Amino acid sequence: MCAQVAAIRFIERLSEQVANEFAAQQQYIANAVYFDGHTLPRLAGFFYAQAVEERNHAMMMVRYLLDSAAPVVIPGVEAPETEFADIVAPVALSLEQERRVSDQIAALAAVARDENDYLSEQFVQWFLKEQIEEVSTMSSLLSVVERSSETPMFIEDYLAREGAGDRGADPTAPPVAGGTL
Ligand code: FEO
């Protein structure tokens, strides 16, 4: 571990973001379980995988805090939404969540720049790029789900065919505390 000093304001905001990422993980697990319960295995699989990604995002941030010799407190998170009116609702909620996270990451980048904390600014760049992809993937999925909400097997076929969300390993990703799941 190489000790480095990140700006205090950045560390505070990043610690809050760890909670947001774990909350995103919980929401995606809740979505996956909802779809699993409705025998829609591809939609369930998509959200189970997204949940792991969010967990890894949180643990990348934890790794950065550890490497910065900053205090690390693993937070509790708010309970996720578990009841949905229809199969569109969890996906619409997810797009909203991804857009919110994009704003949070942009705010983090702004703090790093404001503090002349160049290492933290560089660290956060990967997350900015990641959010563009995640918002785009979720937005496409929402279009498909809205279009085929009466015939969910079309959505399952789409996911089987396109492998939406499956982007493989990214060698440019920051290291994950404890390793990638
Ligand atoms: Fe880690 Fe998609 O927010």
Side-chain angles (χ1 to χ4, degrees), residues 21 54 57 98 101 131 134:
E21 301 292 334
E54 298 306 343
H57 294 168
E98 289 299 346
V101 170
Q131 281 312 120
E134 295 206 330

